[in-house]
């Protein structure tokens, strides 16, 4: 059974590729290639600039806090104190830009836009956002970790520089003291220190990059909108679109039923009365036949938009109605303890209708079967026929359109149609009820 491709939202893909960020992959690869790559320099820049950003933010926060306390008796003081946690929004924006040095994946902001414009609604909205307080907590934590961020590169660079210059220092009469009882004052010992320094520098570059990558992972976890949040947002948008389409479909159906159909019915009655008044019976009969044909086409159109049996009696009854009208004998097996949501029910109905139309037009089947059931939180449809098989979505059989319709509800459509048959179309549509 193969899946028919359905559209995927951009939020469904992992931005910037899959797997671990570039720094971790580089450290897991060739050691020599890593050491001569840009990653150690990126890590150094990331760790060295972090304390500078933190210091600037702490200075701004201190200024706001002092000014707010001094001006507390007036409204301005309260506003300044409220700006203390909100100031982390700017700090986090800088951190998300710095994040690109260690993690090339996109870093979208977790903030939403306020419903109303203006400084006051903006400030109130930001103070109520959970993302603002996460960023404030990250800013405080990052300020504390700034000491480690600065100490690791400093010790690594200063220690390696001093150790590498050991032969020069020893030749000028200096001695190097490495802890109690460990003194380097002879050239052979100095050159041994150089070799050890090179090895320790290589290990230190790995440690520094690992620290920078861990700090970047912390920043991403607290400052960047998660993929799951984007998926929830896209699914909510899909649901709103489906509801809007359903409402528009209802409006068109109501207009056709209450307007055009009623007028055609009135026309048929008027023509009948005109025939009683002695008008040309042949012309009256022809006009009535055309009006009846137009009314029948209109009813078929309304039924195609949304059959009344689906609204009144549910999906199982609507599918049984489809089976009765099918030129191929269709068995319906339905096990639906509760009706699915209206939009899901409508999508499932049209999937079955199109699938049965394909069976009648293309398969050469002598019988078919439709199964409707609930499997956990999903509605499952299976349309089976004993036709010739060999169905392919790309051949214009409508399966790609069905997959698109199902994808609106975050569902899936799978097709199994080997040459010689049978053909099975399996559809799963998540539903909440």
């Amino acid at each position: 059974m193969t899946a028919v491709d359905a559209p995927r939202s951009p939020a469904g893909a992992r931005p910037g590729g899959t797997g671990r960020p570039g720094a971790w992959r580089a450290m897991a690869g060739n050691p020599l290639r890593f050491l001569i790559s840009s990653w150690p320099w990126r890590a150094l820049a990331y760790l060295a600039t972090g304390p500078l950003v933190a210091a600037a933010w702490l200075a701004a926060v201190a200024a706001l806090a002092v000014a707010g306390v001094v001006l507390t008796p007036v409204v301005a003081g309260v506003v300044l104190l409220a700006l203390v946690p909100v100031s982390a929004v700017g700090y986090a924006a800088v951190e998300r830009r710095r994040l690109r040095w260690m993690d090339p994946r996109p870093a979208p902001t977790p903030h939403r836009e306020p419903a109303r414009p203006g400084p006051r609604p903006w400030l109130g909205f930001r103070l109520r956002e959970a993302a603002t307080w996460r960023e404030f907590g990250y800013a405080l934590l990052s300020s504390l970790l700034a000491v480690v961020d600065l100490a690791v590169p400093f010790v690594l660079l200063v220690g390696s520089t001093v150790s590498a210059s050991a032969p020069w220092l020893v030749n000028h009469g200096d001695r190097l003291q490495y802890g109690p009882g460990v003194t380097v004052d002879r050239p052979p010992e100095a050159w041994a220190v150089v070799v050890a320094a090179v090895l320790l520098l290589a290990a230190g570059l790995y440690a520094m990059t690992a620290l920078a990558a861990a700090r970047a992972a912390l920043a991403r976890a607290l400052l960047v909108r998660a993929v799951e949040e984007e998926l929830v947002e896209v699914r909510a948008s899909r649901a709103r679109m489906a509801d809007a389409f359903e409402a528009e479909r209802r409006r068109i159906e109501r207009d056709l039923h209450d307007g055009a159909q009623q007028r055609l019915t009135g026309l048929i009655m008027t023509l009948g009365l005109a025939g009683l008044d002695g008008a040309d019976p042949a012309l009256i009969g022809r006009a009535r036949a055309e009006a009846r044909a137009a009314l029948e086409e209109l009813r078929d159109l309304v039924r195609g938009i949304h059959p009344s049996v689906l609204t009144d009696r549910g999906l199982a009854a609507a599918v049984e109605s489809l089976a009765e009208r099918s030129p191929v004998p269709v068995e319906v097996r339905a096990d639906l303890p509760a009706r699915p949501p209206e939009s899901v029910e409508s999508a499932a109905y049209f999937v079955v209708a199109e699938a049965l139309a394909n069976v009648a037009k293309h398969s050469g089947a002598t019988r078919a079967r439709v199964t409707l059931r609930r499997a956990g939180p999903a509605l499952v449809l299976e349309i089976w026929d004993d036709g010739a098989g060999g169905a392919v979505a790309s051949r214009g059989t409508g399966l790609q359109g069905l997959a698109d319709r199902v994808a609106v509800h975050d569902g899936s459509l799978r097709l199994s149609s080997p040459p010689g048959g049978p053909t099975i179309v399996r559809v799963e549509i998540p539903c909440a009820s």
Side-chain angles (χ1 to χ4, degrees):
M1 184 169 286
T2 57
V4 178
D5 293 334
R8 299 295 180 185
S9 63
R14 295 184 184 180
T18 59
R20 297 172 296 177
W24 296 108
R25 288 199 303 269
M27 286 189 290
N30 188 301
L32 180 60
R33 183 177 300 175
F34 166 75
L35 293 174
I36 63 175
S37 71
S38 62
W39 285 110
W41 296 103
R42 291 187 185 188
L44 176 61
Y46 187 76
L47 293 176
T49 56
L52 299 178
V53 178
W57 177 76
L58 287 174
V61 166
L64 288 172
V66 171
V69 171
V70 172
L71 298 176
T72 297
V74 297
V75 177
V78 178
V79 174
L80 291 176
L81 290 177
L83 286 175
V84 170
V86 176
S87 65
V89 173
Y91 178 89
V94 175
E95 287 295 290
R96 281 189 290 270
R97 294 187 68 86
R98 288 198 324 112
L99 190 58
R100 300 175 185 174
W101 292 346
M102 295 304 300
D103 191 343
R105 295 175 296 175
T109 176
H111 292 287
R112 304 291 189 270
E113 288 299 321
R116 294 183 298 162
R120 185 173 179 180
W122 182 89
L123 179 60
F125 185 80
R126 288 290 178 257
L127 286 172
R128 292 190 299 271
E129 269 193 312
T132 301
W133 295 97
R134 281 202 309 268
E135 291 173 346
F136 185 57
Y138 172 84
L140 294 175
L141 177 61
S142 185
S143 299
L144 294 175
L145 295 177
V147 177
V148 179
D149 295 345
L150 195 59
V152 170
F154 178 81
V155 171
L156 176 64
L157 294 178
V158 172
S160 60
T161 301
V162 172
S163 298
S165 60
W168 184 84
L169 295 174
V170 169
N171 288 334
H172 286 74
D174 295 326
R175 293 193 306 173
L176 300 179
Q177 189 75 30
Y178 291 93
V182 181
T183 303
V184 176
D185 54 5
R186 293 185 300 171
E189 296 173 346
W191 285 109
V193 168
V194 171
V195 174
V198 171
L199 297 177
L200 290 176
L201 176 61
L205 292 177
Y206 271 91
M208 183 177 67
T209 306
L211 174 62
R215 293 282 282 111
L218 176 64
R220 176 168 289 277
L222 296 179
L223 306 181
V224 177
R225 182 188 304 178
V227 174
E228 289 76 10
E229 295 180 33
E230 294 182 1
L231 285 174
V232 168
E233 189 173 299
V234 170
R235 285 170 182 157
S237 176
R238 280 181 175 178
R240 289 192 297 269
M241 289 176 63
D243 291 341
F245 291 154
E246 186 70 14
E248 182 66 12
R249 191 268 308 159
R250 289 285 190 185
R251 184 191 67 78
I252 295 173
E253 179 186 2
R254 185 175 59 252
D255 291 347
L256 289 174
H257 183 274
D258 297 341
Q261 287 194 76
Q262 296 297 331
R263 289 176 182 171
L264 282 174
T265 303
L267 174 61
I268 293 173
M269 296 177 63
T270 302
L271 289 173
L273 293 175
L276 295 176
D277 291 340
D280 186 350
L283 293 177
I284 294 296
R286 186 183 305 171
R288 292 182 67 184
E290 291 180 356
R292 283 197 182 98
L295 181 60
E296 189 63 28
E297 290 180 2
L298 195 58
R299 284 172 176 167
D300 290 341
L301 175 62
V302 172
R303 189 182 297 114
I305 294 175
H306 193 83
S308 57
V309 66
L310 180 62
T311 302
D312 298 337
R313 299 172 55 196
L315 180 60
V319 171
E320 289 175 355
S321 177
L322 285 173
E324 292 173 0
R325 299 198 303 269
S326 173
V328 177
V330 179
E331 177 189 359
V332 178
R333 299 177 181 177
D335 182 14
L336 300 175
R339 292 187 64 171
E342 186 177 0
S343 60
V344 172
E345 209 172 43
S346 178
Y349 172 83
F350 285 107
V351 166
V352 174
E354 180 66 23
L356 291 181
N358 287 340
V359 171
K361 293 178 183 178
H362 307 293
S363 70
T366 59
R367 59 193 178 99
R369 182 175 63 246
V370 178
T371 303
L372 312 172
R373 61 186 177 87
R374 290 293 293 268
L379 173 65
V380 178
L381 318 173
E382 284 189 359
I383 302 93
W384 172 94
D385 70 76
D386 64 351
V392 179
S394 60
R395 293 180 182 173
T397 56
L399 290 173
Q400 187 62 59
L402 295 184
D404 294 344
R405 182 186 289 273
V406 170
V408 172
H409 301 277
D410 207 25
S412 63
L413 185 149
R414 295 182 178 273
L415 169 68
S416 174
S417 185
T423 295
I424 302 174
V425 176
R426 178 185 174 90
V427 174
E428 294 186 13
I429 307 176
C431 50
S433 62

